[in-house]
Amino acid sequence: MSILDMLAIPEQIEAEGGYVIATYYLETAARSEIIQKVSAIAVEQTTGTWIPVPEETPEVRERHVAKVVGVYEVPGHEFEVPSSCDTRQFVFQLAFPAVNFGPQIPMLLSTVIGNISMSGKLKLLDLKFPKEFLDGFKGPKFGVPGVRRLLGVESRPLLNNMIKPCTGYPPEVGAKLFAQAVRGGVDIVKDDELIADPPFCPMVDRVKLYMEAARQIYEETGHKVLYTVNVTDRADKVRDNAHRAIDAGVNALMINYLTVGISAMQGLAEDPDINVPILAHLDFAGTMYESPISGMSSHLVLGKLARLAGADVVVYPSPYGKFPFLKERYLQIGHHLLSKWQHLQPVFPMPGGGVMPNVVPAIINDFGNDCILGAGGAIHGHPMGPVAGGKAMRQAIDAVINGVSLKAAAEQYPELKAAVDAWGLMDEDEKSLFEIKQ
Amino acid sequence: MSILDMLAIPEQIEAEGGYVIATYYLETAARSEIIQKVSAIAVEQTTGTWIPVPEETPEVRERHVAKVVGVYEVPGHEFEVPSSCDTRQFVFQLAFPAVNFGPQIPMLLSTVIGNISMSGKLKLLDLKFPKEFLDGFKGPKFGVPGVRRLLGVESRPLLNNMIKPCTGYPPEVGAKLFAQAVRGGVDIVKDDELIADPPFCPMVDRVKLYMEAARQIYEETGHKVLYTVNVTDRADKVRDNAHRAIDAGVNALMINYLTVGISAMQGLAEDPDINVPILAHLDFAGTMYESPISGMSSHLVLGKLARLAGADVVVYPSPYGKFPFLKERYLQIGHHLLSKWQHLQPVFPMPGGGVMPNVVPAIINDFGNDCILGAGGAIHGHPMGPVAGGKAMRQAIDAVINGVSLKAAAEQYPELKAAVDAWGLMDEDEKSLFEIKQ
């Protein structure tokens, strides 16, 4: 098979169907043979190895080898490479026959970013799936419409609270914090990712106490809440944890899906006996996306793959808070979660990490109403206490959807005013962003 | 709690027990307050958030916050930082109370490299576990002695073959390649990581045909072989795949443990009904270790965590082959797999990726006899065919353990001679390495 035989025209690949298109960044020595290098990667990740072997027949290659569908230099030299150039940078695309791995995430990842994750300066930038691959995934069981239906909230942005402290408290203290947050108007309370089922705060005890508090508040006020309990554990124990929590009365789940494995979340989402929404927590994602020259893009880890695996809500970094995170990445992830994508329901983006009332206008401006504001410290660390903390966040949301500036709303609501007074000056960038929006 | 209260003396932490010690690399702006920054990380990954909250009491902090046990600048400034310094580099250590996450890998990772994986230029370099944490893991069920017992090979280095082509062949072709490799003297045949249970080569069909071939060869020759079938799949299907494969007669398993999730492998290893060894495949590891300023060290991903999770064999990059990989990393991983480590049995290191006869002396020199040579293309792409390819590798192994140079042995064995003739000049570095060893 000649090198030219390894190349294919994108329209041809599209017409044949059944290929996953992977887009990569690659940095190489200025004098390396790029087409040869990219072809070698295509072979290495499908049928071949460093040497021809007898059973890698033309028929095997024809059906199963990856094809090179594009190699683009950035910026592009057409005549000669200046001698001052030590390295050259490329974006290239490979088309992998989906039949090689079938509709499952682990074998997909082993193929598109398995051994080549160790092959020098290469990053997986994007994946595009054929219909027959996507048809193998049920996707989110609830998604945006399902979560809204459960909460009875038609169109307003939702408010989530992470209980703080993150860990170290007994169930009774957690229940008190839970009830305070809910009385403040929170729609979803989630465990922190740092608590699961420790001896000092057993999962089932938390569920029972929190759900009892939820029931009481609902009877008093009619306000509904989802509690996403953290079922993170050894992969083969996650399902059992979920069932124990559901038996104890919980109405939603949470999983640190990247430390357990993305497909463990899919196992929960596609379990016909699990009829509650799932919140996917981002921790560990940086190990895979932080490097610009290895790993894979954040919008794959936190966007497409999470949606494929059935997350109903994805928590990920807000660019206005405590994580260093490009706004464009945060928007890309939101785009991959919310946009129309075959039969896969839209997923709530939930920016978190230092979310407080003054960033609410920016986030709603970015996503529209289909987003969840994820506030931890802004609620439990509010100067007037957690109930006021919840109220201040809800007041900020209501102000934005009613077209009222936060400044004006703060004049009306003491809880919002206390938050703006306390944190308005916390970060000049956030403040100026807020000022511009208003 | 003052910043000084966050600091602890290592001996004191050791004496109290129950802490996991995590070592990190951190690069910061030259003028940042390092002790404050490290303390903030310690709080963020245990009890706290960006603001004090009411229930983060002194008692909660005392029991559950991480302690700072060391901050070391590299190189170390003692008087003032030169104005030419834009950034400073540190190695620091935190002690995390193991009670926060218990003896499980997902919550451990969420704690030690969860949200902080997204916090700038920070890499997890090492983890040291207290006895009570390690006691929660059974570790390898077979390990080096168990695998040797199954094969009846007391002390020689073992030979593994990856079937090539990687994928795209029907079970009958796989069975032919399997039989050829085994007749060449291979001890363990593994699937390539790119094949699992595709429609064109169903897992159970492979198992039946391969194991029948193994039985025939054993009856003819007395030579035993393990076949590690790839059970990689959605996390909740892995156990079922393993049981189906075992029911079909397989005598070993393989899993792409990093794309499924490390703890999914532990689920297999600690399943009392699974009584066959497990081979852990490295693909995807580079997404986590490639960056020098994010993610975590390769010896954690491929060494300590794999052993904790019960791998009996770990395939990982050879520094003499097709992957760019530092020799020191390869040695460190081997060290973590083989050294005495409480009750956890030693694990076979299996360097792979371009392993051929001429690197056998180097690898055995590095590890001694307790290693597995992982050869794919060198067997199936051997000029005289796969049986000769297996023989050439076994001849190289025998030469080394008998103190005979490969050059001399090649005079005696045509299969080895053909391999040395074909590949001896393939890579000048490898060749010179080989020449030096001889």
Side-chain angles (χ1 to χ4, degrees):
Chain A
M1 198 173 203
S2 75
I3 286 201
L4 277 191
D5 290 335
M6 291 292 303
L7 310 183
I9 305 291
E11 289 80 359
Q12 183 58 25
I13 287 292
E14 193 95 5
E16 284 176 23
Y19 286 92
V20 169
I21 313 290
T23 304
Y24 300 90
Y25 167 85
L26 177 68
E27 192 180 315
T28 71
R31 298 288 151 191
S32 81
E33 292 282 356
I34 186 68
I35 299 293
Q36 201 162 330
K37 197 171 181 108
V38 167
S39 300
I41 291 172
V43 171
E44 180 74 32
Q45 290 305 115
T46 50
T47 59
T49 183
W50 52 272
I51 184 172
V53 294
E55 292 296 344
E56 197 184 351
T57 59
E59 293 69 33
V60 164
R61 279 249 174 146
E62 178 60 32
R63 272 195 301 269
H64 298 285
V65 82
K67 299 281 168 59
V68 180
V69 291
V71 180
Y72 314 99
E73 187 173 9
V74 189
H77 297 99
E78 296 289 345
F79 300 104
E80 60 178 37
V81 181
S83 59
S84 60
C85 258
D86 282 343
T87 58
R88 292 166 73 192
Q89 301 178 308
F90 295 91
V91 169
F92 70 93
Q93 291 192 310
L94 299 182
F96 289 92
V99 70
N100 290 6
F101 39 85
Q104 56 146 302
I105 291 170
M107 285 300 292
L108 167 75
L109 292 176
S110 291
T111 302
V112 298
I113 190 70
N115 283 2
I116 46 167
S117 72
M118 295 165 286
S119 293
K121 297 183 175 177
L122 177 142
K123 184 169 184 169
L124 176 63
L125 300 181
D126 208 353
L127 290 170
K128 183 183 163 202
F129 304 104
K131 184 177 181 307
E132 51 268 55
F133 181 87
L134 292 180
D135 284 346
F137 294 83
K138 293 186 181 161
K141 202 178 263 164
F142 292 84
V144 169
V147 170
R148 287 199 175 284
R149 202 169 50 240
L150 290 176
L151 288 170
V153 178
E154 225 167 274
S155 68
R156 125 179 103 71
L158 300 178
L159 176 60
N160 168 90
N161 174 242
M162 300 91 171
I163 288 181
K164 299 285 174 184
C166 305
T167 188
Y169 53 83
E172 295 70 27
V173 169
K176 187 179 83 182
L177 297 170
F178 175 91
Q180 288 171 325
V182 181
R183 287 190 190 279
V186 163
D187 302 298
I188 304 175
V189 179
K190 70 175 270 297
D191 282 330
D192 193 89
E193 84 280 3
L194 297 173
I195 197 163
D197 194 14
F200 55 83
C201 194
M203 179 187 73
V204 164
D205 295 359
R206 279 204 315 279
V207 167
K208 286 183 180 162
L209 289 178
Y210 293 16
M211 293 312 293
E212 171 57 23
R215 193 191 58 75
Q216 278 179 23
I217 296 168
Y218 176 70
E219 285 182 2
E220 284 172 37
T221 67
H223 179 71
K224 290 182 184 170
V225 67
L226 292 172
Y227 167 44
T228 65
V229 68
N230 189 2
V231 296
T232 300
D233 205 331
R234 216 172 85 178
D236 60 320
K237 294 186 174 177
V238 160
R239 184 172 181 274
D240 182 51
N241 287 356
H243 282 278
R244 285 195 298 130
I246 290 169
D247 289 347
V250 91
N251 58 4
L253 303 172
M254 143 174 183
I255 182 168
N256 304 353
Y257 73 113
L258 295 166
T259 59
V260 184
I262 302 176
S263 71
M265 177 165 70
Q266 192 192 351
L268 295 180
E270 300 197 2
D271 184 335
D273 297 327
I274 294 181
N275 278 304
V276 299
I278 297 169
L279 182 149
H281 194 273
L282 76 164
D283 65 90
F284 201 62
T287 64
M288 302 173 197
Y289 77 63
E290 276 262 321
S291 166
I293 53 169
S294 61
M296 56 179 166
S297 292
S298 54
H299 68 87
L300 286 174
V301 184
L302 297 169
K304 277 186 186 172
L305 294 176
R307 187 167 173 184
L308 260 192
D312 298 294
V313 178
V314 178
V315 192
Y316 71 92
S318 154
Y320 309 119
K322 65 187 180 182
F323 297 109
F325 200 59
L326 288 175
K327 188 170 168 187
E328 68 209 53
R329 298 292 179 173
Y330 140 95
L331 290 173
Q332 268 180 302
I333 294 168
H335 167 64
H336 284 306
L337 295 177
L338 285 169
S339 299
K340 186 165 164 51
W341 192 24
Q342 290 201 24
H343 65 288
L344 300 158
Q345 298 209 69
V347 179
F348 267 117
M350 176 170 145
V355 166
M356 55 188 88
N358 66 5
V359 302
V360 170
I363 293 174
I364 299 178
N365 184 55
D366 294 331
F367 292 122
N369 280 2
D370 282 341
C371 64
I372 304 180
L373 286 305
I379 290 178
H380 293 292
H382 189 280
M384 296 162 68
V387 178
K391 286 185 179 170
M393 284 294 296
R394 282 291 304 272
Q395 289 156 2
I397 293 171
D398 289 344
V400 175
I401 58 176
N402 292 318
V404 177
S405 78
L406 283 204
K407 205 172 265 178
E411 294 307 312
Q412 204 181 338
Y413 300 111
E415 295 89 355
L416 181 57
K417 183 166 192 311
V420 169
D421 286 350
W423 304 316
L425 295 167
M426 207 183 131
D427 180 315
E428 281 305 315
D429 286 338
E430 280 170 21
K431 187 151 178 291
S432 64
L433 175 107
F434 163 67
E435 299 292 357
I436 292 160
K437 298 259 162 211
Q438 298 306 306
Chain B
M1 200 173 200
S2 75
I3 286 202
L4 278 191
D5 290 335
M6 292 292 302
L7 310 182
I9 305 292
E11 289 81 358
Q12 182 60 26
I13 287 292
E14 194 94 8
E16 285 177 23
Y19 287 92
V20 169
I21 312 290
T23 304
Y24 300 90
Y25 168 83
L26 178 68
E27 192 180 317
T28 70
R31 299 289 151 191
S32 81
E33 292 281 355
I34 186 68
I35 299 294
Q36 201 162 330
K37 197 169 181 105
V38 167
S39 300
I41 291 172
V43 171
E44 180 75 29
Q45 290 304 115
T46 50
T47 59
T49 184
W50 52 272
I51 184 173
V53 292
E55 292 296 341
E56 197 184 353
T57 59
E59 294 70 32
V60 165
R61 279 249 174 146
E62 178 61 30
R63 273 194 301 268
H64 299 283
V65 84
K67 298 281 167 61
V68 180
V69 292
V71 180
Y72 314 99
E73 188 172 11
V74 189
H77 296 101
E78 295 289 344
F79 300 104
E80 60 179 38
V81 181
S83 59
S84 60
C85 260
D86 280 342
T87 58
R88 293 165 74 191
Q89 300 178 307
F90 295 90
V91 168
F92 70 92
Q93 290 191 310
L94 298 182
F96 289 92
V99 70
N100 290 7
F101 38 86
Q104 56 147 301
I105 290 171
M107 285 299 293
L108 168 75
L109 292 177
S110 291
T111 302
V112 299
I113 190 68
N115 283 0
I116 48 168
S117 72
M118 296 165 285
S119 293
K121 297 182 174 177
L122 176 141
K123 183 168 185 170
L124 176 63
L125 300 180
D126 208 353
L127 290 170
K128 184 183 163 203
F129 304 104
K131 186 177 179 308
E132 53 267 55
F133 180 86
L134 292 180
D135 284 346
F137 294 82
K138 293 185 180 162
K141 202 178 263 164
F142 292 84
V144 170
V147 170
R148 287 199 175 285
R149 200 167 51 240
L150 290 175
L151 288 169
V153 178
E154 224 167 276
S155 69
R156 131 179 98 70
L158 300 178
L159 176 59
N160 168 89
N161 173 241
M162 301 89 171
I163 288 183
K164 301 283 172 183
C166 305
T167 187
Y169 52 84
E172 295 70 26
V173 169
K176 186 180 84 182
L177 297 170
F178 174 91
Q180 288 171 325
V182 181
R183 288 192 190 278
V186 164
D187 302 297
I188 304 176
V189 179
K190 68 174 273 295
D191 282 329
D192 193 88
E193 83 281 2
L194 297 174
I195 197 165
D197 194 13
F200 54 84
C201 194
M203 179 187 73
V204 164
D205 295 358
R206 278 204 315 279
V207 168
K208 286 183 180 161
L209 290 178
Y210 293 15
M211 294 312 293
E212 172 55 23
R215 192 191 58 74
Q216 279 179 22
I217 296 168
Y218 176 70
E219 285 182 3
E220 285 170 36
T221 66
H223 179 71
K224 291 182 184 170
V225 66
L226 293 172
Y227 167 44
T228 64
V229 68
N230 189 3
V231 296
T232 300
D233 205 331
R234 216 173 83 176
D236 59 322
K237 295 185 174 177
V238 159
R239 185 173 180 272
D240 182 51
N241 287 355
H243 282 277
R244 285 194 300 130
I246 291 169
D247 290 346
V250 90
N251 58 3
L253 303 173
M254 146 176 181
I255 182 168
N256 303 353
Y257 73 114
L258 295 166
T259 60
V260 185
I262 303 175
S263 72
M265 177 164 69
Q266 192 191 351
L268 294 180
E270 300 198 2
D271 183 336
D273 297 327
I274 293 180
N275 278 304
V276 298
I278 298 169
L279 181 149
H281 193 275
L282 76 165
D283 65 89
F284 200 62
T287 65
M288 301 172 197
Y289 76 63
E290 276 263 319
S291 167
I293 54 169
S294 60
M296 57 179 164
S297 292
S298 54
H299 69 86
L300 286 174
V301 184
L302 296 169
K304 276 186 188 175
L305 294 176
R307 186 167 174 183
L308 259 191
D312 298 293
V313 178
V314 178
V315 192
Y316 71 92
S318 152
Y320 309 119
K322 65 185 179 182
F323 297 109
F325 200 59
L326 288 175
K327 187 169 168 188
E328 69 209 53
R329 298 293 178 173
Y330 140 95
L331 290 173
Q332 268 181 300
I333 294 167
H335 167 65
H336 284 306
L337 294 177
L338 284 168
S339 299
K340 188 166 160 51
W341 193 22
Q342 291 202 24
H343 65 288
L344 300 158
Q345 298 209 69
V347 179
F348 267 117
M350 175 170 146
V355 166
M356 56 188 89
N358 67 4
V359 304
V360 169
I363 293 174
I364 299 178
N365 183 56
D366 294 331
F367 292 122
N369 281 0
D370 283 340
C371 63
I372 303 180
L373 285 306
I379 290 178
H380 292 292
H382 189 280
M384 297 163 66
V387 179
K391 285 186 179 168
M393 284 295 296
R394 281 291 302 273
Q395 288 156 1
I397 293 170
D398 289 345
V400 175
I401 59 177
N402 293 318
V404 177
S405 79
L406 284 205
K407 205 173 268 178
E411 295 307 313
Q412 203 182 338
Y413 300 111
E415 296 88 355
L416 181 57
K417 183 164 191 311
V420 170
D421 287 350
W423 305 315
L425 297 167
M426 205 183 131
D427 181 315
E428 280 305 316
D429 286 340
E430 280 169 23
K431 186 152 178 290
S432 65
L433 175 108
F434 163 66
E435 299 292 358
I436 292 161
K437 300 258 162 210
Q438 300 305 306

